């Protein structure tokens, strides 16, 4: 058996948001029976590991990120037995599986909270953060970050929704609980964790007021990367060191500087972190504060993380997940869906780092447009709609939601052109994107030039080449508003990845040191390409190899 700790740098992950992936038992909700059925499909992408978004019991105030029992499976998704079956088959297929670890907060329906709210003498009293008087922090999801609890006669802190009270990680008993949760899943055989908002778990002592500079995040500097964060994470790290597993941190607004503190050096307590910078090429802080897409911003974010982490730690690479709208609708073009979907794949997969693909991204799913705010499910979309830009027309506000809602990545996976996109035999829990007849797995399987098959080719190529996996990254022409060019080099091996973000043809130049050099065009998202004609068609992407010149030089180097 391969070791995830040794191999994660060359692995490709597939992220599953189970509720919308595949309904295996015909109740309209995606589940672990559906995941089981589709493991072969996932494997066929060339994927090495799966990240399962939370599958634990949850009242779904935040769709699984509000957990009411950490050591069980949500009945909507199946049973612990079914989970074991998924895990075993994943392993049989030679893949790994990591879970979502959500320990900044629980659900308010978690037994710990039900006890804690009973009173100050309760054994669980200090499991959460209680105060007689709230500070000025605002929650990221709804209103003030404090909610008054009648029974206890105090306020509790919730950085996310009211139904997600923050755990008091300063309490050693809470940390023991976290370790016990980790062991529970690791003992069962899971291969690691994606750790949710892990940079929020240690709050500044005394919980001082924040600076009210941007609504909703005014307290962030008092709870992000807090004073005991390394201490707590190193306790969790010790548990992981007893197993063959990895830890990937998610931290909103993480800068590359702080990421390096978590993934390198004496405080190293995570293997990788997710960057948020490249998710802000068309917005400020959140997708809700929309700006026109800027390729320069995107490239700057990509390169910053590539240069800063190279040689010190290891990057994660992603363009989509369950928290962001679909990338074609943001950085590409729905009109040039196939072209921009394939180009975007090449733009990130060949960078240095571990690749993540989010369900539906590989077939170019796009944002959904719903008519009424009531049709949306996501709590943050609803809050944004009701809280901001109230002077705008309803249409304008809905347009913002259409551009920004997390729900766009949570519509049912489009498997075929059958009713309900082949996701379920009955009406699904959430709207299917009406484009499913054009955009689905079955259709893409049949078309050698589909987005799906291009993803397969990119994944296969990346995994084949040591240079594309471990090589150095360098960007050229950072000021171009149309073209993204980067190289990957290892020893004498050189690859050049050229992506056009333009809707019209553009003439491209090789960087000076590549001009006139012998090259091979290894991959392109258009058919019939003359490798020497550098006029790029809309959203064209090409991957060139510049062989080292000696006869021993192989594609695999
Ligand atoms: C993370 C999750 C997101 C969730 C939030 C609160 O950002 O990815 O889906 O809403 O944490 O748990
Ligand atoms: Ca189901």
């Amino acid at each position: 058996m391969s070791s995830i700790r040794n191999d994660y740098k060359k692995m490709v992950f597939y992220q599953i948001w189970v509720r919308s992936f595949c309904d295996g038992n015909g109740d309209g909700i995606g589940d672990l029976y559906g995941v089981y059925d589709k493991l072969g499909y996932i494997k066929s992408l060339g994927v090495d590991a799966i990240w399962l978004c939370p599958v634990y019991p949850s009242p779904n105030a935040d769709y699984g990120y509000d957990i009411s029992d950490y050591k069980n499976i949500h009945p909507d998704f199946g049973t612990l037995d079914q989970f074991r079956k998924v895990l075993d088959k994943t392993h049989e297929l030679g893949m790994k599986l990591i879970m979502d670890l959500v320990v900044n907060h629980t659900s308010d329906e978690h037994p710990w909270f039900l006890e804690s709210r009973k009173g100050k003498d309760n054994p669980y009293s200090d499991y959460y953060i209680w105060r007689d008087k709230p500070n000025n922090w605002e929650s990221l999801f709804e209103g003030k970050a404090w909610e008054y609890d009648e029974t206890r006669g105090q306020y509790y802190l919730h950085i996310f929704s009211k139904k997600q009270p923050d755990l008091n990680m300063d309490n050693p008993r809470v940390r023991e609980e976290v370790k016990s949760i980790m062991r529970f899943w690791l003992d069962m055989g899971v291969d690691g964790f994606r750790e949710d908002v892990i940079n929020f778990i240690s709050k500044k002592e005394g919980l001082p007021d924040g600076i009210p500079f941007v609504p909703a995040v005014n307290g962030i500097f008092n709870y992000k990367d807090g004073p005991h964060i390394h201490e707590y994470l190193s306790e969790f790290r010790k548990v992981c060191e007893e197993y063959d597993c990895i830890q990937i941190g998610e931290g909103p607004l993480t800068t590359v500087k702080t990421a390096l503190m978590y993934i390198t050096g004496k405080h190293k307590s995570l293997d990788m972190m997710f960057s948020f910078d490249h998710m802000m090429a068309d917005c400020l802080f959140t997708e809700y504060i929309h700006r026109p897409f800027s390729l320069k911003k995107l490239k700057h974010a990509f390169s910053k993380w590539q240069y800063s982490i190279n040689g010190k730690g290891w990057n994660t690479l992603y363009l989509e997940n369950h928290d962001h709208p679909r990338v074609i609708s943001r950085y590409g073009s729905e009109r040039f869906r196939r072209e921009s979907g394939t180009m975007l794949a090449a733009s990130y997969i060949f960078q240095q780092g571990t690749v993540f693909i989010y369900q539906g991204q590989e077939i170019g799913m796009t944002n959904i447009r719903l008519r009424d705010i009531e049709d949306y499910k996501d709590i943050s979309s609803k809050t944004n709609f009701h809280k901001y830009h109230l002077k705008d027309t309803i249409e304008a506000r809905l347009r913002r939601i259409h551009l920004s809602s997390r729900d766009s990545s949570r519509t049912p996976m489009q498997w075929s052109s059958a009713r309900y996109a082949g996701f379920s035999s009955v009406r699904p829990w959430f709207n299917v994107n009406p484009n499913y007849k054009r955009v689905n797995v079955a259709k893409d399987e049949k078309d050698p030039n589909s987005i799906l098959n291009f993803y397969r080719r990119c994944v296969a190529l990346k995994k084949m080449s040591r240079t594309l996996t471990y090589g150095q990254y360098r960007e050229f022409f950072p000021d171009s508003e149309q073209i993204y060019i980067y190289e990957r080099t290892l020893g004498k091996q050189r690859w050049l990845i050229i992506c056009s973000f333009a809707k019209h043809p553009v003439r491209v130049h090789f960087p000076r040191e590549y001009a006139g050099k012998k090259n091979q065009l290894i991959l392109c998202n258009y058919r019939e390409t003359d490798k020497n004609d550098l006029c790029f068609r809309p959203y064209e992407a090409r991957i060139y190899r510049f062989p080292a010149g000696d006869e021993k030089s192989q594609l695999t180097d």
Side-chain angles (χ1 to χ4, degrees):
M1 270 268 277
S2 61
S3 151
I4 193 166
R5 190 169 299 151
N6 295 337
D7 293 344
Y8 70 86
K9 293 184 180 169
K10 52 181 185 191
M11 290 172 64
V12 174
F13 279 69
Y14 189 82
Q15 182 195 348
I16 304 183
W17 199 77
V18 178
R19 179 163 285 267
S20 287
F21 187 59
C22 178
D23 175 18
N25 66 355
D27 63 357
I29 299 173
D31 50 45
L32 292 172
Y33 309 99
V35 171
Y36 186 89
D37 290 342
K38 297 296 184 188
L39 289 174
Y41 165 75
I42 296 170
K43 176 79 188 170
S44 82
L45 302 173
V47 160
D48 307 284
I50 292 167
W51 151 24
L52 273 191
C53 281
V55 286
Y56 319 97
S58 160
N60 286 333
D62 187 20
Y63 288 101
Y65 286 90
D66 49 321
I67 297 170
S68 54
D69 181 356
Y70 286 93
K71 297 182 181 172
N72 218 329
I73 296 294
H74 196 304
D76 283 351
F77 296 152
T79 58
L80 269 174
D81 239 20
Q82 182 59 23
F83 175 79
R84 282 194 200 94
K85 283 191 186 141
V86 168
L87 182 61
D88 290 348
K89 190 167 167 199
T90 302
H91 286 162
E92 268 166 41
L93 289 169
M95 297 187 290
K96 305 286 184 187
L97 189 149
I98 67 166
M99 304 284 279
D100 223 302
L101 184 71
V102 188
V103 293
N104 176 67
H105 44 266
T106 69
S107 161
D108 66 338
E109 297 179 33
H110 193 291
W112 300 335
F113 191 75
L114 300 181
E115 287 299 314
S116 192
R117 77 190 331 172
K118 283 184 186 160
K120 292 181 190 157
D121 304 329
N122 189 281
Y124 291 88
S125 158
D126 287 336
Y127 266 48
Y128 296 85
I129 301 170
W130 295 96
R131 289 289 180 276
D132 293 327
K133 262 179 60 196
N135 63 18
N136 74 348
W137 297 359
E138 275 182 62
S139 109
L140 298 181
F141 278 178
E142 47 173 357
K144 296 282 169 215
W146 296 88
E147 184 70 7
Y148 187 70
D149 185 79
E150 293 283 341
T151 331
R152 172 132 172 176
Q154 278 189 308
Y155 294 84
Y156 65 85
L157 176 70
H158 63 90
I159 290 176
F160 294 91
S161 82
K162 287 176 193 153
K163 288 189 63 64
Q164 292 166 291
D166 280 55
L167 280 164
N168 174 17
M169 209 54 80
D170 297 333
N171 179 348
R173 282 185 57 205
V174 171
R175 302 203 296 278
E176 287 311 313
E177 299 278 10
V178 173
K179 291 180 237 173
S180 145
I181 294 164
M182 293 171 86
R183 285 183 198 286
F184 178 84
W185 296 102
L186 290 168
D187 285 337
M188 205 182 293
V190 313
D191 305 290
F193 301 103
R194 174 267 189 191
E195 305 187 356
D196 189 69
V197 292
I198 201 66
N199 57 344
F200 287 7
I201 63 170
S202 163
K203 277 88 177 163
K204 206 177 244 177
E205 256 140 64
L207 311 180
D209 275 351
I211 311 159
F213 78 112
V214 180
V217 292
N218 65 350
I220 197 156
F221 296 112
N222 296 336
Y223 57 74
K224 183 168 137 349
D225 311 312
H228 300 288
I229 186 87
H230 293 298
E231 188 185 323
Y232 301 162
L233 286 183
S234 71
E235 287 185 30
F236 304 159
R237 186 73 173 170
K238 281 208 187 85
V239 174
C240 280
E241 275 162 6
E242 296 166 29
Y243 299 81
D244 179 36
C245 71
I246 58 160
Q247 295 170 282
I248 310 167
E250 186 242 14
L253 301 179
T254 297
T255 62
V256 70
K257 218 168 129 199
T258 45
L260 282 167
M261 284 178 1
Y262 292 111
I263 62 174
T264 63
K266 68 174 193 300
H267 290 307
K268 175 170 177 173
S269 47
L270 298 168
D271 297 287
M272 298 179 271
M273 279 202 93
F274 288 113
S275 152
F276 276 70
D277 290 346
H278 70 289
M279 284 289 108
M280 292 187 221
D282 64 354
C283 63
L284 264 187
F285 291 117
T286 108
E287 280 93 352
Y288 195 65
I289 311 179
H290 202 257
R291 295 280 176 280
F293 169 66
S294 157
L295 176 59
K296 267 167 86 170
K297 257 181 149 183
L298 178 68
K299 296 193 298 183
H300 181 74
F302 277 155
S303 294
K304 188 171 171 188
W305 282 69
Q306 289 288 306
Y307 293 140
S308 311
I309 290 189
N310 178 44
K312 299 188 192 134
W314 198 250
N315 255 305
T316 56
L317 306 171
Y318 76 93
L319 287 181
E320 285 188 3
N321 64 36
H322 64 292
D323 287 333
H324 303 282
R326 295 290 183 177
V327 74
I328 289 177
S329 309
R330 300 178 65 187
Y331 299 172
S333 152
E334 291 183 14
R335 185 153 75 88
F336 291 102
R337 198 183 58 84
R338 196 202 68 82
E339 293 78 5
S340 66
T342 46
M343 180 282 291
L344 284 162
S347 77
Y348 87 108
I349 289 180
F350 297 109
Q351 293 180 33
Q352 186 193 66
T354 297
V355 175
F356 287 75
I357 300 170
Y358 177 68
Q359 69 187 43
Q361 180 189 336
E362 78 278 22
I363 53 165
M365 284 176 64
T366 57
N367 285 355
I368 193 163
R369 201 182 295 261
L370 298 171
R371 271 195 221 109
D372 194 316
I373 189 64
E374 290 313 313
D375 296 336
Y376 285 88
K377 304 273 187 191
D378 170 34
I379 176 164
S380 67
S381 305
K382 285 183 195 278
T383 303
N384 289 340
F385 183 86
H386 292 298
K387 192 166 166 191
Y388 303 114
H389 303 288
L390 297 180
K391 289 198 187 115
D392 286 4
T393 60
I394 298 276
E395 290 69 37
R397 283 158 60 199
L398 272 172
R399 210 158 41 237
R400 287 172 194 272
I401 297 296
H402 164 241
L403 290 170
S404 65
S405 177
R406 307 196 295 181
D407 277 339
S408 274
S409 54
R410 300 175 179 189
T411 60
M413 176 76 181
Q414 293 161 209
W415 294 102
S416 71
S417 60
R419 205 160 179 219
Y420 307 129
F423 163 79
S424 174
S425 51
V426 302
R427 177 178 293 281
W429 75 281
F430 189 35
N431 295 57
V432 173
N433 191 315
N435 70 10
Y436 74 93
K437 290 224 156 94
R438 279 188 296 122
V439 181
N440 62 65
V441 173
K443 187 159 178 266
D444 266 20
E445 287 285 9
K446 282 189 227 122
D447 175 3
N449 298 305
S450 64
I451 302 182
L452 175 62
N453 283 315
F454 192 77
Y455 265 88
R456 287 192 171 118
R457 264 176 244 142
C458 289
V459 167
L461 179 58
K462 168 127 189 184
K463 289 173 67 173
M464 189 168 91
S465 158
R466 282 178 43 77
T467 307
L468 291 175
T469 304
Y470 299 108
Q472 299 258 353
Y473 164 100
R474 182 158 60 126
E475 188 199 339
F476 297 94
F477 311 124
D479 289 332
S480 167
E481 286 284 12
Q482 298 180 316
I483 304 289
Y484 176 37
I485 305 190
Y486 63 97
E487 70 172 10
R488 299 295 307 283
T489 57
L490 190 73
K492 288 187 185 152
Q493 302 300 323
R494 284 170 181 275
W495 292 75
L496 208 52
I497 292 88
I498 310 182
C499 298
S500 168
F501 279 71
K503 289 187 174 67
H504 47 80
V506 273
R507 184 150 297 283
V508 172
H509 300 279
F510 281 144
R512 195 175 304 141
E513 60 255 58
Y514 285 90
K517 293 265 160 64
K518 187 175 150 205
N519 66 47
Q520 302 165 318
L521 179 61
I522 304 293
L523 193 59
C524 177
N525 61 347
Y526 276 85
R527 275 179 300 177
E528 280 146 42
T529 304
D530 172 358
K531 73 183 171 91
N532 297 316
D533 177 358
L534 292 187
C535 182
F536 272 52
R537 290 153 285 190
Y539 296 102
E540 183 162 346
R542 297 187 197 174
I543 291 95
Y544 286 94
R545 174 173 181 260
F546 291 75
D550 56 81
E551 274 162 29
K552 281 192 227 119
S553 149
Q554 305 272 336
L555 208 57
T556 50
D557 285 346

